[in-house]
Amino acid sequence: MGMSRRDFLRGGALAAAGVALTGRPGEASADAPQTRIKGLKSSTTICPYCAVGCGLLVHTKDGKIVNIEGDPQHPINHGSLCSKGSSLFQVAVNENRLQKVMYRAPGSDKFEEKSWDWAMDRIALRLKETRDKNFKAKEINKKDNKEYVVNRTEGMAFFGGAGLDNEECYLWSKFSRAMGVGMLEHQARL
Amino acid sequence: MTNHWIDLKNSDAIFIIGCNPAENHPISFKWIEKAMDDGGKLIVADPRYTRSASKADIYAQLRPGTDIAFLGGMINYALQNNMIHEEYVREYTNAAFIINEKFNFQDGLFCSFDDQEKSYDLKSWAYENDAAGNPKRDMSMKDPRCVYQLLKKHYSRYDADMVCSITGTKKEDFLKVAKTFCATGRADKAGTILYAMGITQSTHGTQNVRAVAMLQMLLGNIGIAGGGVNALRGESNVQGSTDYGLLFNSLPGYLKLPEFANTDFKAYIEKYTPKTKDAKSANWWGNTPKYITSLLKAWYGDNATPENDFCYNYLPKWSSNYSYSKIIERMGKGEVEGLVCMGMNPAMGGPDSNSARGALDKLKWLVTVDLWQTETSIFWKRPGVNPKDIHTEVFMLPAASSVEKEGSISNSGRWAQWRYKAVEPVGESKSDLWIINQFFKRVQALYTKDKGVFPEPITKLAWNYGDGHEPDVHLVAKEINGYFTKDTTIVDKDKTLEFKKGDQVPMFKYLQADGSTTSGCWIYCGSYTKEGNQMARRDASDPTGLGLFPKWSWCWPLNRRIIYNRASVTPDGAPFNPKRPVIAWDALEKKWKGDVPDGPWPPMKDAKEGKYPFIMLAEGHGRLYALDMKDGPFPEHYEPMESPARNQLSKVQNNPLVKIPANISSDLVKFPLIGTTYRMTEHWQTGGMTRSLPWLVELVPDMFVEISESLAKQKGIKKGDKVKVTTERGAIEAVALVTSRLKPFNVDGKSVEQVGMPWHFGYSGLAKGDSANLLTPTVGCANTNIPEFKAFLCNIEKGGTKA
Ligand code: SF4
């Protein structure tokens, strides 16, 4: 490639300098000739695996990810990554990623491709049917034989959240409780 | 974590028990090694000689599930050898508090045990109050009924010989660990304890955590730089998801989801707002009314008024345990029609996966939202079943990855860090934010059009995140922070602050109980203010040199990097360790310097305004003696549910609060070996995010189990052989890894072997393999119900399951 290790390192450091102040997507070191990131856009991210929270730089070209590496400016990892963090590129660029909405009818032995609209309408119907059918406004407590208002949806459970962003977790909590769902749990219980 | 990753460098002794950071949080070792370079000692106690152990100054082998014996032994060692930080213990913990005379502990049980109900009457453990209603104290700590004396008595049974006979640790190793770590009981020394699921995944998991916290309080190690009780969390945002209340009995910000008995808002507030008569106690949860009202205002907007209890009745009220394993149990009985999984994989993530998979068969409909096809989304065509027999309707929705959307995640050190969208989601995949928004909007439209049962909680929900293709994540983040709902004037000491309707609330101190503020998650109030998105900050300055990085991202609460930091100073406000001051009181300027202090008040000794350091507890003192643990005020050693040994400390074999389920077997003829599960660097959780990545699959392509050389010899197994591992729940096939890193334990004079296994494998993905969770038992912690994945009984034979 005709690039020395020093150029390589300098390229990384300059790329980092380009995003150091804001971390927002921006032009990566346009004035760093001979480096592999010339002309690429660069933005920061945080590793989606463990909760050390290492920083990474994502390099893109024409709307495609071409490289992901450790963020040398990040105070926790200073650019280092473990084998999982180093593989983030293959999460983003991977032919095994789901690309379409898939549906499996009861008793069927295969998935069929569906549109978002079709699936979301049908899921909304299921959510409503199950809620309406299993909603418990009041219940008699076995211990004192008194009736209590519980306004709770039985028959439906919502799982997950440790892989979501905070803002998503928040809306997930808000939506779940508005639905009356009591059976809301996630990875923290395991 | 009370502290954070970089702070590990400030430790004089790092004690790793129940985690393996070199393997599972690898970059943390940057900071552990920094501490070691500066003379710090690394101590590892673990059943296996792990990657972390290989770096340690001292390694102690510890039988799975015996952590309380080990930690109790260390507590005893510190007390017997006067190695505790006495001033800290006397002033800042409840060591001097007097316990009522009913309390006692005998033959493995605390007083007031109800054998029928398998429960204790927690009231029988209460403090003894004086005439004013405050707990009595004996500052000399000599009263036989004070916590200090009770503690000393309780743990006097945990001498080194007893401990090692239980844990299987070599006595000299145990003593080395105790001596080295307890040496941090000095005011100028810091010791940190790191733990993870090795501590929590146990029928006495919460008491394991308490034992860690108690040892740290005795040594004066909480609140200081290089100290702390540090849970190393496994998923990138499991801290955040817990903060946002995604557990059956939780609301965002560790508020409680109401129970059936909290019949109205007043009753709820009464129940969850602790009271104190002690003016020196900050009693922070006394602010509960402000936080719950601000939450309800964020959820129900103008519809939430004082007249209608701020829509309190729209919240569901729980009346029985809906923890994860209990839900799976209900599902297995056909009581659950529908399940939505947001990036979760119950077909292999929980205990006894055979039962969990069978439970999924009973669903009418299932929605999975993930980047990949998972074991859960294809449960209906898993090996051994006929899809025709399974009548579940399955929607498999493609989710965007973390670089294809924008938002924040919170690491283990509570740092909320912002991530940017680098590219559009692949194919037709969508962010979870978009997906949740669609769920809500479509359901709301149905309820608006067709009515239905009790539609108000849905039709009246405030959901104002712009008109874009997906909700504006900045509007969501701003709602989480909270804003003023009307023009408000707040008098704060000598300042008068004016806020306009719609202004962001600068910090949770200004949240109100009258509906004039919103905040979707009060502990995040301050994360998105008038000054902008604090979570996106990237100023890497470190003015104290302690690695606090106060302007890099934002951390809850209030950007305080080390919590309980009022315990890092003397009652006069001078740092215990002047070389590593977290905060210090400047008497001239009358303010704290350093980290954001745990409350603005002057030091504890200040007669008028001083406060105790443990501000989240009504009595303001760290609890060496707990009041609200279901299974006892002191952690007591009990054996795991499936154990190769009798309890040597008492006749009570297992945690008396945990009912023994049917599929537990302690038949040592059938299952003579200890089984334990764990994680590794190259894979992650149920493998969705790793077993489809060629680079990682190349590194670890197969499910394997680890056994010692002696067990291999005994069973005629060689490295690379196919083996079959069985438990009362099921059987798996794996490749044998024979290693000198595993050794048998010497327990109660007997040699006991162990089988170790990662739990990342399943039947979906590029690299497939049997799931270790087919073997694990559905029995959990008395307080949290977290399953006992770490210690069970099994057997191993040469040849696979097909052999
Ligand atoms: S790079 Fe490794 S250590 Fe860092 S956050 Fe990711 S998984 Fe954790």
Side-chain angles (χ1 to χ4, degrees):
Chain A
M1 254 177 104
M3 184 169 73
S4 72
R5 183 169 159 77
R6 184 183 296 264
D7 285 340
F8 178 89
L9 289 174
R10 193 187 320 136
L14 284 168
V19 292
L21 289 178
T22 67
R24 277 191 203 96
E27 193 79 11
S29 64
D31 56 350
Q34 310 276 320
T35 65
R36 73 210 146 84
I37 51 133
K38 186 179 177 198
L40 304 183
K41 288 243 175 355
S42 180
S43 59
T44 61
T45 192
I46 302 296
C47 179
Y49 290 104
C50 90
V52 170
C54 296
L56 299 95
L57 297 173
V58 185
H59 295 131
T60 62
K61 186 170 189 179
D62 305 328
K64 294 229 161 20
I65 294 178
V66 293
N67 177 53
I68 299 182
E69 63 190 39
D71 177 354
Q73 308 269 321
H74 197 283
I76 294 176
N77 63 314
H78 291 314
S80 314
L81 297 171
C82 74
S83 53
K84 280 195 289 278
S86 318
S87 304
L88 179 57
F89 178 79
Q90 288 203 327
V91 172
V93 183
N94 189 317
E95 60 188 24
N96 297 310
R97 278 277 300 277
L98 294 176
Q99 313 245 351
K100 303 268 186 200
V101 172
M102 303 302 268
Y103 174 74
R104 183 258 181 183
S108 165
D109 60 357
K110 58 176 188 309
F111 275 123
E112 322 156 36
E113 217 175 287
K114 292 285 181 193
S115 73
W116 273 107
D117 245 346
W118 184 91
M120 280 300 190
D121 275 344
R122 208 169 163 101
I123 292 168
L125 273 176
R126 294 287 171 271
L127 288 166
K128 181 169 187 294
E129 280 164 11
T130 299
R131 181 178 181 276
D132 285 351
K133 202 175 115 198
N134 297 284
F135 194 81
K136 211 181 230 184
K138 289 176 183 169
E139 114 192 313
I140 310 267
N141 183 268
K142 279 189 205 125
K143 281 196 184 141
D144 62 8
N145 260 323
K146 278 199 218 149
E147 191 177 59
Y148 291 90
V149 173
V150 291
N151 286 336
R152 191 176 66 227
T153 301
E154 305 277 64
M156 180 155 76
F158 288 180
F159 283 170
L164 308 189
D165 288 354
N166 284 326
E167 296 71 23
E168 294 168 337
C169 288
Y170 172 64
L171 289 193
W172 184 226
S173 166
K174 186 171 176 177
F175 170 66
S176 304
R177 300 315 188 182
M179 289 292 288
V181 168
M183 293 188 236
L184 172 67
E185 283 276 287
H186 84 285
Q187 290 88 340
R189 188 82 66 194
L190 291 172
Chain B
M1 290 167 90
T2 55
N3 296 41
H4 61 100
W5 295 108
I6 298 171
D7 182 61
L8 295 174
K9 73 172 180 157
N10 297 317
S11 285
D12 296 298
I14 295 166
F15 179 26
I16 290 177
I17 181 165
C19 65
N20 180 10
E23 179 87 42
N24 297 319
H25 301 87
I27 301 301
S28 66
F29 255 72
K30 209 182 212 20
W31 302 106
I32 293 174
E33 286 182 336
K34 176 79 176 64
M36 293 171 82
D37 289 347
D38 296 343
K41 292 274 177 272
L42 178 63
I43 304 165
V44 174
D46 199 281
R48 299 174 296 132
Y49 189 73
T50 60
R51 275 180 171 166
S52 302
S54 73
K55 290 275 183 182
D57 295 295
I58 307 167
Y59 167 68
Q61 196 195 18
L62 167 72
R63 176 164 64 94
T66 62
D67 309 77
I68 289 177
F70 197 96
L71 291 160
M74 289 177 75
I75 289 172
N76 184 45
Y77 186 93
L79 291 168
Q80 298 301 335
N81 295 289
N82 290 324
M83 294 176 91
I84 66 168
H85 185 168
E86 210 196 302
E87 184 179 13
Y88 186 108
V89 170
R90 191 180 58 238
E91 301 290 340
Y92 296 159
T93 75
N94 66 1
F97 286 50
I98 311 288
I99 304 305
N100 82 82
E101 47 190 27
K102 262 188 278 162
F103 172 80
N104 78 348
F105 174 81
Q106 235 174 0
D107 302 331
L109 290 173
F110 296 93
C111 62
S112 80
F113 183 64
D114 180 336
D115 200 18
Q116 206 102 70
E117 294 283 317
K118 303 274 175 233
S119 69
Y120 284 111
D121 174 11
L122 272 54
K123 284 188 216 88
S124 67
W125 306 335
Y127 296 139
E128 187 163 287
N129 286 343
D130 61 18
N134 288 319
K136 280 191 196 159
R137 289 197 264 168
D138 168 23
M139 297 313 277
S140 75
M141 302 196 293
K142 288 199 177 115
D143 188 309
R145 278 197 286 119
C146 80
V147 167
Y148 180 79
Q149 294 299 335
L150 295 174
L151 180 83
K152 212 166 169 178
K153 185 169 159 214
H154 190 87
Y155 289 104
S156 63
R157 301 148 58 233
Y158 290 64
D159 63 58
D161 289 313
M162 173 58 86
V163 167
C164 294
S165 178
I166 295 171
T167 62
T169 310
K170 285 200 195 99
K171 189 174 167 187
E172 71 218 53
D173 293 343
F174 169 75
L175 289 174
K176 250 195 266 171
V177 172
K179 186 171 171 206
T180 309
F181 194 71
C182 294
T184 65
R186 284 172 37 178
D188 61 348
K189 293 284 175 207
T192 180
I193 303 186
L194 312 185
Y195 72 92
M197 275 70 145
I199 286 286
T200 59
Q201 290 173 342
S202 157
T203 39
H204 41 261
T206 309
Q207 296 287 13
N208 285 344
V209 178
R210 275 196 46 71
V212 167
M214 287 162 64
L215 180 59
Q216 287 297 64
M217 278 188 268
L218 288 171
L219 300 174
N221 276 337
I222 299 180
I224 65 173
V229 174
N230 293 306
L232 312 189
R233 309 213 60 178
E235 290 99 348
S236 55
N237 198 33
V238 71
Q239 184 61 52
S241 52
T242 314
D243 298 341
Y244 284 91
L246 301 178
L247 293 165
F248 82 91
N249 50 355
S250 260
L251 285 171
Y254 302 93
L255 294 167
K256 302 277 195 282
L257 184 75
E259 226 185 313
F260 69 97
N262 317 137
T263 48
D264 57 21
F265 196 42
K266 204 170 139 236
Y268 173 91
I269 286 190
E270 182 65 28
K271 168 94 193 197
Y272 301 113
T273 310
K275 282 163 205 73
T276 174
K277 298 210 166 99
D278 190 337
K280 268 193 154 20
S281 176
N283 186 27
W284 202 265
W285 280 114
N287 294 305
T288 299
K290 298 176 186 169
Y291 305 150
I292 183 70
T293 307
S294 296
L295 174 94
L296 287 168
K297 282 299 284 182
W299 286 14
Y300 287 102
D302 291 341
N303 292 317
T305 64
E307 293 71 39
N308 67 10
D309 273 0
F310 299 102
C311 299
Y312 169 78
N313 251 347
Y314 291 175
L315 294 174
K317 320 278 181 296
W318 64 276
S319 28
S320 50
N321 193 316
Y322 292 124
S323 61
Y324 180 83
S325 302
K326 302 278 177 200
I327 298 175
I328 298 289
E329 208 179 294
R330 280 165 194 258
M331 208 179 281
K333 289 189 200 146
E335 293 171 15
V336 181
E337 276 181 20
L339 172 67
V340 183
C341 291
M342 304 293 293
M344 198 156 160
N345 192 3
M348 60 172 285
D352 190 8
S353 295
N354 271 326
S355 298
R357 291 168 192 175
L360 294 173
D361 294 348
K362 305 268 172 66
L363 290 170
K364 255 191 166 159
W365 54 267
L366 166 72
V367 179
T368 62
V369 181
D370 217 304
L371 278 64
W372 325 89
Q373 180 176 285
T374 63
E375 283 69 16
T376 300
S377 56
I378 60 163
F379 80 93
W380 46 275
K381 55 173 176 178
R382 67 184 183 269
V385 298
N386 183 352
K388 279 202 181 61
D389 301 336
I390 296 172
H391 304 290
T392 315
E393 190 178 25
V394 181
F395 302 85
M396 182 167 71
L397 307 181
S401 81
S402 57
V403 292
E404 297 155 8
K405 61 184 185 185
E406 188 173 0
S408 69
I409 56 171
S410 298
N411 78 0
S412 222
R414 297 166 287 104
W415 294 18
Q417 306 193 84
W418 198 257
R419 300 196 286 208
Y420 293 93
K421 177 173 174 173
V423 288
E424 289 301 319
V426 301
E428 291 176 16
S429 64
K430 301 281 186 192
S431 72
D432 299 281
L433 203 66
W434 184 91
I435 292 169
I436 297 163
N437 185 51
Q438 289 294 318
F439 286 160
F440 173 68
K441 290 226 155 138
R442 289 178 201 239
V443 169
Q444 190 187 42
L446 288 177
Y447 274 100
T448 310
K449 190 164 98 340
D450 306 336
K451 299 294 177 284
V453 180
F454 197 38
E456 291 82 3
I458 297 159
T459 56
K460 297 201 167 156
L461 193 66
W463 197 274
N464 307 306
Y465 310 115
D467 308 314
H469 169 72
E470 64 178 271
D472 180 340
V473 70
H474 293 272
L475 291 179
V476 181
K478 283 180 172 176
E479 176 176 310
I480 289 167
N481 178 89
Y483 53 85
F484 289 92
T485 61
K486 57 182 186 201
D487 295 356
T488 304
T489 304
I490 293 174
V491 183
D492 184 7
K493 278 192 168 173
D494 41 356
K495 286 181 292 189
T496 303
L497 301 155
E498 302 280 353
F499 297 100
K500 288 262 163 287
K501 179 179 175 178
D503 282 354
Q504 293 296 104
V505 182
M507 54 175 121
F508 52 63
K509 189 164 107 179
Y510 299 139
L511 293 176
Q512 305 293 324
D514 60 1
S516 58
T517 55
T518 72
S519 181
C521 188
W522 71 274
I523 56 175
Y524 282 81
C525 187
S527 64
Y528 208 127
T529 59
K530 193 170 82 191
E531 283 74 40
N533 183 356
Q534 304 299 298
M535 299 173 282
R537 294 181 304 166
R538 283 179 61 89
D539 175 342
S541 56
D542 180 24
T544 63
L546 288 175
L548 300 175
F549 292 96
K551 292 180 179 167
W552 186 277
S553 72
W554 182 87
C555 109
W556 71 261
L558 287 176
N559 206 32
R560 180 177 304 135
R561 304 279 159 152
I562 297 179
I563 54 179
Y564 303 118
N565 55 27
R566 291 174 78 86
S568 71
V569 295
T570 65
D572 296 315
F576 277 127
N577 182 356
K579 281 206 258 115
R580 287 188 290 246
V582 182
I583 56 167
W585 178 251
D586 186 324
L588 281 180
E589 289 184 42
K590 290 213 167 301
K591 67 178 205 193
W592 293 100
K593 301 239 160 111
D595 194 10
V596 178
D598 241 323
W601 320 282
M604 188 174 110
K605 241 196 182 157
D606 185 280
K608 272 219 307 266
E609 288 175 90
K611 299 277 185 242
Y612 306 132
F614 287 91
I615 63 170
M616 304 310 284
L617 295 169
E619 69 274 44
H621 289 72
R623 287 181 180 166
L624 289 169
Y625 175 99
L627 302 174
D628 52 2
M629 289 293 115
K630 288 184 188 157
D631 46 355
F634 294 131
E636 168 69 1
H637 166 74
Y638 301 107
E639 287 292 324
M641 275 295 151
E642 288 188 340
S643 164
R646 67 183 172 103
N647 186 355
Q648 296 176 59
L649 269 166
S650 77
K651 290 197 296 270
V652 184
Q653 174 72 4
N654 309 117
N655 188 333
L657 278 267
V658 179
K659 294 194 183 109
I660 304 177
N663 62 0
I664 290 284
S665 170
S666 287
D667 182 344
L668 289 171
V669 178
K670 265 162 84 186
F671 306 116
L673 313 172
I674 300 171
T676 189
T677 64
Y678 43 82
R679 297 146 212 253
M680 65 178 101
T681 310
E682 296 79 6
H683 287 295
W684 190 68
Q685 315 301 57
T686 63
M689 286 283 285
T690 55
R691 282 189 291 107
S692 290
L693 275 49
W695 292 343
L696 294 173
V697 165
E698 198 178 332
L699 291 172
V700 180
D702 287 308
M703 173 64 188
F704 62 91
V705 301
E706 294 184 90
I707 55 171
S708 71
E709 286 162 343
S710 47
L711 180 60
K713 198 162 157 216
Q714 190 190 320
K715 296 274 183 180
I717 296 167
K718 284 197 213 56
K719 196 179 259 183
D721 280 354
K722 281 254 164 72
V723 290
K724 176 180 169 181
V725 183
T726 49
T727 69
E728 185 68 17
R729 277 74 53 189
I732 64 162
E733 178 175 286
V735 177
L737 179 65
V738 180
T739 170
S740 60
R741 289 180 290 103
L742 265 72
K743 297 258 190 271
F745 301 97
N746 182 0
V747 182
D748 201 1
K750 278 187 317 194
S751 174
V752 185
E753 294 277 359
Q754 57 177 329
V755 179
M757 57 202 105
W759 63 280
H760 305 295
F761 284 82
Y763 50 80
S764 183
L766 271 184
K768 299 183 181 65
D770 281 354
S771 305
N773 273 331
L774 292 165
L775 304 177
T776 52
T778 307
V779 62
C781 168
N783 286 285
T784 64
N785 222 20
I786 290 178
E788 195 156 67
F789 291 117
K790 291 291 179 193
F792 50 91
L793 290 177
C794 67
N795 201 3
I796 190 167
E797 296 300 337
K798 195 173 160 163
T801 41
K802 282 120 218 149

